[in-house]
C-alpha cells in the first residue's frame, strides 16, 4: 500500500495575529512541504472567516516544549510572590483609583 | 499541537497506579490534559480512535454533499454548499491535527481509513439522490453532530477540546443553512414538498442512529465518562435531539416516518418507536448503500494525489539542498 | 439585442463561473487536505465574482434577469466564456497550470479594470484583483513545484502545457464589441496586459524549468458562443435543477 511507503509531509504550527490587536496566537497545525506552502495553507485553512491580519508558521520540530514533570519547579515558585500583584498594596480609598 | 516526540518516552511506565490516580484526580478537577502530560495508554488509545474517527467522518462526509456542488439550484446555494463542504475538510484537518498530538501521523491515520481499519460515521454511507438531501443533512445530520460536539468542547483532552470549540463556532451556520433549504422546499411547489418529505423519510432513522447504540449496549461508555471524554449518554443526547428537532419539522408541515412518535405531556419529551439496530449494524459492517463507493473515492483521491505530494516534497528537498550548497559556497 | 456592455460583462462573468465550477469539482478529491481547501477557496472567489458580474449584466440589460436567470437559463451558444475555462478539470497539473495562466492574465486585467469608467465594473474589479493576486501566487508556486519536482510531475506539467497553450490566445482577442468599450475607457485593452503576462509566464516557467511553447495556431470561438463539446455537459450539471423544475424558488 502506498501509505506505508509514503514520506511524511512536515508538520507546521500556525500562529495568527487577529484584528483585535493582540499578539500572534497559536491556532492549530497543518502539513505542508515547505514554508511558503505552509503559509498559504495557513491562510486557506485558518483564516477562512477573516480571522487574521498576520500569519506565522513554524516547523513543529523547531519547537522546544517544557516538560510537564518540571511544572512544579517552573511555575510553583511564582505563586507565593504575591507582592507582584497590585492588590498586595494598600492605598486609602480617598486617593482614588491607582 | 506540538512536540509529539516526548510522548514516546512516557510509555515506559504506562500503567503505574500512582500516576493513574494523579491523572484521574486532574481529570476530576476539570484540568485539561495536554499532549506531553502522562496519560494511561487506554486514554490515549481511546482518544486516537475517537478523534480520528471523527476526522474521517468529516472527510468522508464531504462526499455525499460534494455530490451536489456542481448541481446546486442557485448560485447562492452553490456558494454556501461549497463553503460548507470546504469547512468539513477544515474540520477534518483540525481533528487530524488533534489526533497527531497523541503520537500518530496523518499518513498513518489516513492509511487506517483506507484499509478499513478505522471507522467513520455510518450516516455518510447513505446516498444523496436529491437536492433536498442537502437540506436534510444540514438540518438533521449537522444538528445531531452539534448535539454530540458541544459537550466535546469540554473534553478533558486539551487539543481535542480546542479543536471542537473552533469547529462548533464554524458549524453554527451549517444547520441553519440546511434548515433554510428544507424550509424553502416545504413552502415551495408540490414537487418540492414531496422532495423534502421523501428526504426526511430517508434520513430520520439514520440520523437517530448517529448517537450510537443505546446505553444498555454501548461498550465504552463508563470509562469514557470517568475520563471526561464523554459527558452525556447516547440515549440522553438522542432524546435531546429528538425534542429539539420534531417541533422544527412540524413547523414546516413535514411528517416524521415514525408511527409511534408522540409527545409525552408528563415527561415533556417526544417518545419514539424502536430503532432498527440491525440496519445500523449492517451499515457499520460495510453493507450500506455507499460504503464501498465512499472508500473508493477517498482511495482514488489519495492515489491520484500521490505524485503531487511526492513532487512537492522533492522540490522542498532540492531547494533545501541548493540553499545549503549556496551557504557552503559563500563560506 | 445585446448591447456591447452587456456582452462584455457577460464574458467576464461566464469566465469566472465556468472556471469556478471546474475548480469546485475538486472539492473532496484534492491531492491533500490543505490543497482541497485552497481549491475551494479559489472556486468561491470565482463564483462570487460571477455573481456580482451577472447582477451587473442583468441591470445593464434592464429586462429583469437575475444572476440565476443568466447562469441557469442560457444554452451553449449564449455563453461567452473563453474555451480555456471550459476544458475538463484534468489532473492536478492541468488544473493548477490553467489557474496560473488565467490568473496571470486576470490579475493585471482587473488592476486596470478597477479604473473603468463603469463604476460597478470598477468596484467589482477592485475586489477581484486581490483574489486574483492570491490565485496567481498560489498557482504559480505550485507550477514551480511541479515543474521542478519529480520526473513524473514535470512530465505531467509539460503535457498540461501542451494541452492548454493553444487556448491562451483567446484571452488577448479584441472584437468590435470590445474595441468601442476600450476607446470609451470602460473595457481594458488586452494588448496592454500582454507584456505583464509574458513577464509573469517567463519568470515562473523559468523557475519551473518549463519551456514556453511557441505562439502558433490558437483556438478561438468561446467569446462568440462557439464552444467545445465540454460546455454542454457542464451546463447539464449546472442547470439540471432549474431545467427540471422551471420557475421554482430554491
Amino acid at each position: 500500500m502506498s501509505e506505508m511507503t509514503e514520506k511524511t509531509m512536515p508538520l507546521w504550527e500556525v500562529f495568527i495575529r487577529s484584528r483585535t490587536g493582540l499578539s500572534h496566537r497559536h491556532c492549530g497545525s497543518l502539513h505542508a512541504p515547505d514554508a511558503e506552502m505552509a503559509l498559504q495553507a495557513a491562510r486557506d485553512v485558518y483564516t477562512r472567516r477573516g480571522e487574521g491580519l498576520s500569519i506565522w508558521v513554524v516547523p513543529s520540530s523547531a519547537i522546544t516544549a517544557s516538560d510537564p514533570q518540571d511544572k512544579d519547579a517552573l511555575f510553583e515558585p511564582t505563586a507565593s510572590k504575591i507582592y507582584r500583584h497590585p492588590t498586595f498594596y494598600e492605598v486609602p480609598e480617598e486617593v482614588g483609583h491607582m | 499541537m506540538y512536540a509529539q516526540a516526548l510522548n514516546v518516552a512516557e510509555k515506559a511506565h504506562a500503567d503505574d497506579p500512582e500516576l493513574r490516580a494523579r491523572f484521574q484526580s486532574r481529570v476530576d478537577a476539570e484540568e485539561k490534559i495536554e499532549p506531553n502530560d502522562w496519560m494511561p495508554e487506554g486514554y490515549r488509545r481511546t482518544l486516537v480512535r475517537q478523534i480520528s474517527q471523527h476526522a474521517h467522518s468529516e472527510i468522508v462526509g464531504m462526499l455525499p454533499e460534494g455530490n451536489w456542488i456542481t448541481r446546486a439550484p442557485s448560485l447562492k446555494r452553490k456558494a454556501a454548499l461549497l463553503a460548507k463542504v470546504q469547512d468539513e475538510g477544515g474540520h477534518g484537518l483540525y481533528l487530524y491535527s488533534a489526533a497527531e498530538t497523541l503520537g500518530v501521523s496523518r499518513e498513518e491515520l489516513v492509511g487506517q481509513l483506507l484499509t478499513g481499519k478505522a471507522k467513520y460515521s455510518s450516516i455518510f454511507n447513505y446516498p444523496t439522490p436529491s437536492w433536498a438531501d442537502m437540506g436534510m443533512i444540514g438540518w438533521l445530520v449537522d444538528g445531531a453532530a452539534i448535539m454530540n460536539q458541544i459537550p466535546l468542547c469540554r473534553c478533558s483532552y486539551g487539543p481535542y477540546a480546542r479543536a471542537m470549540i473552533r469547529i462548533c463556532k464554524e458549524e453554527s451556520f451549517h444547520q441553519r443553512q440546511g434548515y433554510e433549504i428544507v424550509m424553502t422546499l416545504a413552502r415551495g411547489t408540490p414537487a418540492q414538498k414531496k422532495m423534502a418529505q421523501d428526504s426526511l423519510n430517508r434520513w430520520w432513522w439514520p440520523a437517530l442512529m448517529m448517537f450510537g447504540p443505546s446505553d444498555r449496549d454501548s461498550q465504552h461508555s463508563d470509562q469514557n465518562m470517568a475520563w471526561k471524554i464523554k459527558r452525556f449518554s447516547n440515549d440522553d443526547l438522542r432524546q435531546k435531539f429528538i425534542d429539539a428537532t420534531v417541533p422544527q419539522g412540524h413547523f414546516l408541515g413535514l411528517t416524521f416516518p415514525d408511527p409511534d412518535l408522540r409527545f409525552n405531556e408528563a415527561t415533556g419529551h417526544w417518545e419514539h418507536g424502536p430503532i432498527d439496530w440491525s440496519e445500523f449494524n449492517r451499515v457499520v459492517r460495510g453493507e450500506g448503500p455507499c460504503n464501498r463507493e465512499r472508500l473508493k473515492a477517498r482511495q482514488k483521491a489519495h492515489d491520484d494525489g500521490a505524485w503531487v505530494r511526492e513532487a512537492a516534497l522533492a522540490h522542498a528537498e532540492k531547494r533545501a539542498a541548493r540553499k545549503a550548497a549556496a551557504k557552503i559556497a559563500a563560506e | 439585442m445585446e448591447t456591447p456592455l452587456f456582452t462584455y460583462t457577460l464574458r467576464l462573468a461566464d469566465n469566472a463561473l465556468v472556471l469556478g465550477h471546474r475548480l469546485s469539482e475538486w472539492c473532496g478529491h484534492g491531492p491533500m487536505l490543505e490543497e482541497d481547501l485552497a481549491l475551494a477557496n479559489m472556486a468561491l472567489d470565482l463564483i462570487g465574482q460571477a455573481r456580482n458580474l451577472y447582477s451587473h449584466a442583468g441591470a445593464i440589460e434592464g429586462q429583469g434577469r437575475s444572476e440565476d436567470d443568466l447562469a441557469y437559463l442560457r444554452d451553449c451558444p449564449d455563453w461567452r466564456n473563453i474555451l480555456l475555462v471550459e476544458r475538463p478539470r484534468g489532473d492536478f497539473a492541468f488544473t493548477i497550470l490553467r489557474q496560473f495562466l488565467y490568473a496571470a492574465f486576470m490579475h493585471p486585467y482587473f488592476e486596470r479594470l478597477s479604473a473603468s469608467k463603469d463604476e460597478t465594473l470598477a468596484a467589482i474589479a477592485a475586489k477581484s484583483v486581490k483574489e486574483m493576486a492570491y490565485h496567481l501566487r498560489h498557482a504559480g508556486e505550485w507550477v514551480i513545484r511541479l515543474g521542478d519536482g519529480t520526473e513524473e510531475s514535470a512530465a505531467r506539467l509539460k503535457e498540461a502545457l501542451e494541452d492548454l497553450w493553444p487556448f491562451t490566445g483567446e484571452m488577448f482577442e479584441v472584437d468590435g464589441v470590445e474595441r468601442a468599450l476600450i476607446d470609451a475607457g470602460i473595457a481594458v485593452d488586452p494588448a496592454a496586459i500582454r507584456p505583464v503576462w509574458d513577464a509573469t509566464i517567463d519568470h515562473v516557467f523559468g523557475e519551473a524549468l518549463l519551456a514556453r511553447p511557441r505562439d502558433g495556431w490558437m483556438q478561438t470561438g468561446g467569446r462568440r458562443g462557439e464552444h467545445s463539446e465540454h460546455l454542454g455537459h457542464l451546463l447539464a450539471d449546472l442547470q439540471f435543477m432549474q431545467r427540471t423544475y422551471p420557475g421554482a424558488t430554491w
Side-chain angles (χ1 to χ4, degrees), chain B residues 187-310:
Chain B
R187 293 179 177 169
T189 65
Q192 286 176 305
K193 277 180 209 161
K194 184 172 175 298
M195 199 185 282
Q197 183 60 56
D198 165 69
S199 180
L200 176 58
N201 294 348
R202 284 182 287 111
W203 289 95
W204 177 245
W205 290 109
L208 296 189
M209 294 174 197
M210 282 177 71
F211 295 93
S214 172
D215 300 334
R216 293 183 298 274
D217 312 313
S218 184
Q219 304 169 22
H220 313 289
S221 277
D222 293 346
Q223 180 62 77
N224 290 355
M225 290 271 196
W227 278 337
K228 295 197 198 293
I229 294 173
K230 193 179 170 77
R231 289 185 182 259
F232 297 98
S233 78
N234 293 351
D235 287 334
D236 286 351
L237 288 170
R238 184 167 18 244
Q239 188 60 52
K240 217 172 148 196
F241 172 72
I242 294 171
D243 289 342
T245 309
V246 170
Q248 294 167 355
H250 288 161
F251 177 76
L252 300 179
L254 296 172
T255 317
F256 290 86
D258 178 358
D260 297 326
L261 189 70
R262 64 171 166 271
F263 189 68
N264 182 328
E265 296 280 354
T267 61
H269 291 301
W270 284 90
E271 288 172 355
H272 61 89
I275 295 174
D276 180 4
W277 290 112
S278 68
E279 173 181 329
F280 177 77
N281 291 327
R282 218 164 46 235
V283 179
V284 169
R285 209 162 53 225
E287 296 166 12
C290 302
N291 299 54
R292 277 178 71 80
E293 255 175 87
R294 299 289 186 242
L295 265 194
K296 281 200 166 175
R298 286 313 311 158
Q299 182 75 57
K300 182 170 190 311
H302 185 76
D303 293 348
D304 289 352
W307 69 268
V308 179
R309 299 189 297 275
E310 275 163 26

Side-chain angles (χ1 to χ4, degrees), chain A residues 6 9 13 31 48-49 68, chain B residues 1 36 87 100 107 309:
Chain A
E6 184 159 344
M9 190 67 73
E13 301 305 321
H31 289 272
R48 298 199 303 287
R49 287 169 170 76
Chain B
M1 314 197 175
N36 300 334
D87 270 353
E100 284 181 273
E107 285 81 359
R309 299 189 297 275

Side-chain angles (χ1 to χ4, degrees), chain C residues 7 18 22 28 34 40 42 51 59 83-84 89 107 120 122 146 169 172 176 182 188 193 223:
Chain C
T7 305
V18 172
R22 285 296 186 219
E34 283 78 358
M42 292 193 288
R51 293 183 64 187
L83 298 174
L84 176 80
R89 71 176 160 110
H107 177 250
T120 309
L146 299 185
F172 297 94
I182 291 167
V188 174
I193 307 300
R223 288 154 37 98

Side-chain angles (χ1 to χ4, degrees), chain B residues 317-331:
Chain B
E317 273 172 28
K318 283 186 196 176
R319 200 174 265 207
R322 267 177 236 151
K323 208 171 154 189
K327 202 175 161 204
I328 289 165
E331 275 163 11

